[in-house]
Structures are given as structure tokens and as C-alpha cells.
Amino acid sequence: MTKMPKKFHDNVPELLSDAGFGPDMIDALLDLDGTMFLWHRASSKGEVPAKILAELGSSVEVGQFYAMTAIFRIQEGIGRDGAEPATIGLLAEEMNIDPSRASRVASDLIAKGLVRREAAQDDGRKSILVLTDAAVALFRSYKELKWAKVIEVYRDWNAEDIATFSRLLGRYVGDMRRVLHGQD
């Protein structure tokens, strides 16, 4: 497992001990924390999509790719109450950025031919963002290469290990959401 520098965890072992955790559990939790830190760091830096996009020979930057996936999630209603046309405002909301930044990102994607602006069906004055065929093709290539990498990662895992990992990761995410946000 990943060992973090002792000063990183400072008084954490004492906090865990005071909470009733034994030495083996404390070591396991500290190892898990180090591993989660490395995964979070890699994830927040966009290392996986950057590597895949580079292997595809794409000029799309990670932030632009995230914007494309945000448009897709809006259009398909993934993680939302329902599908709806993607606007600059919804893109900004989905990416947690200000609308002026979302507008610049959308303009960059339009210049690359990956997004186009269209008039909204319900209000011709409002424009919506639509992924182009080139974006859909990039997503398809990305998905195929990503799954080739996933297959490589899990090649030596058995079904029980994968199911256990999925169940425990899902439990962790659910419990963190519950503790942090009061969500079930």
C-alpha cells in the first residue's frame, strides 16, 4: 500500500485510537487514505483522460473533454432530474465554473468542430450546445481505448474480487455522501 509521510497524518493515529480502532485497523485506514489520496490526485489532474486523449492523437485538452462530457450528461440527464438541452448556464453549473468560463470553453469546442450552437426549439433567442458527429466519434474512440485499459487492469482479477471491490467502493461513496451531505 501507499505510505504517506508521518507528518501527513500527524495526530490521526491518536484520533483513530480514541475512536476505538485497534492498531491493525489504524494501519489499514492510513494505507487506504494514502491510496485514496493518490487516486484523487490523479483524478483531479485528469491523468487518465489526458493519457487516453494523447494516445488517440487528439488535440482536445482535458478541460475541454470534461466540458464535452458535461454537455453529454446534460443532454442525456445523467445525474440530473432529466434530459434537457445544454445551455451555457447549465454547462457552467454542471462543471462548477462561472458562465463566462463556460462560454469560452464552449467557443473553443465550437472552433474545434466538436460542438455547435443551435437555436432552442422553445425559444429561438436562446442557444443550446449540441455535440457534433466528430465529438461522438471521439467519445467512441475514447471509450474503446479506456475499456482496453480497464480490461488490462482487471485481467488477473476474478469476478468475486471485482464484485467485492465494486460493492465496497460503492459503500464508501454512499457512506461519504451520507456523512458529508446527509444523502442516501
Side-chain angles (χ1 to χ4, degrees):
M1 289 294 149
T2 304
K3 293 289 184 190
M4 299 299 284
K6 185 159 178 59
K7 65 181 173 183
F8 182 81
H9 285 119
D10 212 14
N11 65 335
V12 174
E14 291 80 19
L15 293 172
L16 294 172
S17 180
D18 291 348
F21 293 101
D24 289 345
M25 188 73 125
I26 292 170
D27 288 343
L29 284 168
L30 294 176
D31 283 347
L32 177 61
D33 186 63
T35 301
M36 295 295 287
F37 171 81
L38 291 178
W39 175 247
H40 176 68
R41 183 177 178 270
S43 178
S44 65
K45 289 177 64 176
E47 289 179 11
V48 172
K51 176 72 172 154
I52 292 172
L53 290 167
E55 284 189 40
L56 292 172
S58 175
S59 65
V60 174
E61 298 170 11
V62 172
Q64 294 170 334
F65 185 75
Y66 288 158
M68 291 170 54
T69 61
I71 292 168
F72 181 78
R73 288 191 307 274
I74 294 165
Q75 291 174 339
E76 299 298 319
I78 299 170
R80 305 178 69 78
D81 289 336
E84 56 189 310
T87 62
I88 293 293
L90 288 176
L91 178 61
E93 174 189 304
E94 186 72 16
M95 293 184 69
N96 197 29
I97 59 177
D98 64 83
S100 62
R101 172 94 174 104
S103 181
R104 287 191 301 275
V105 171
S107 293
D108 291 344
L109 290 171
I110 291 166
K112 287 182 180 273
L114 297 166
V115 171
R116 69 179 177 273
R117 286 187 202 270
E118 292 183 358
Q121 295 293 327
D122 61 340
D123 182 353
R125 298 168 296 169
K126 182 170 69 173
S127 65
I128 59 171
L129 305 171
V130 178
L131 297 170
T132 65
D133 290 342
V136 172
L138 178 60
F139 278 143
R140 185 176 303 112
S141 297
Y142 180 93
K143 179 175 62 175
E144 289 170 3
L145 185 53
K146 181 196 95 168
W147 275 100
K149 304 285 185 195
V150 169
I151 289 167
E152 192 175 325
V153 166
Y154 292 111
R155 183 167 308 283
D156 296 329
W157 292 42
N158 63 41
E160 184 180 338
D161 287 344
I162 294 169
T164 299
F165 180 67
S166 177
R167 180 180 57 77
L168 291 174
L169 184 59
R171 179 178 170 187
Y172 171 80
V173 170
D175 285 350
M176 285 300 287
R177 290 183 74 171
R178 178 182 52 77
V179 168
L180 294 174
H181 304 290
Q183 298 175 348
D184 289 324

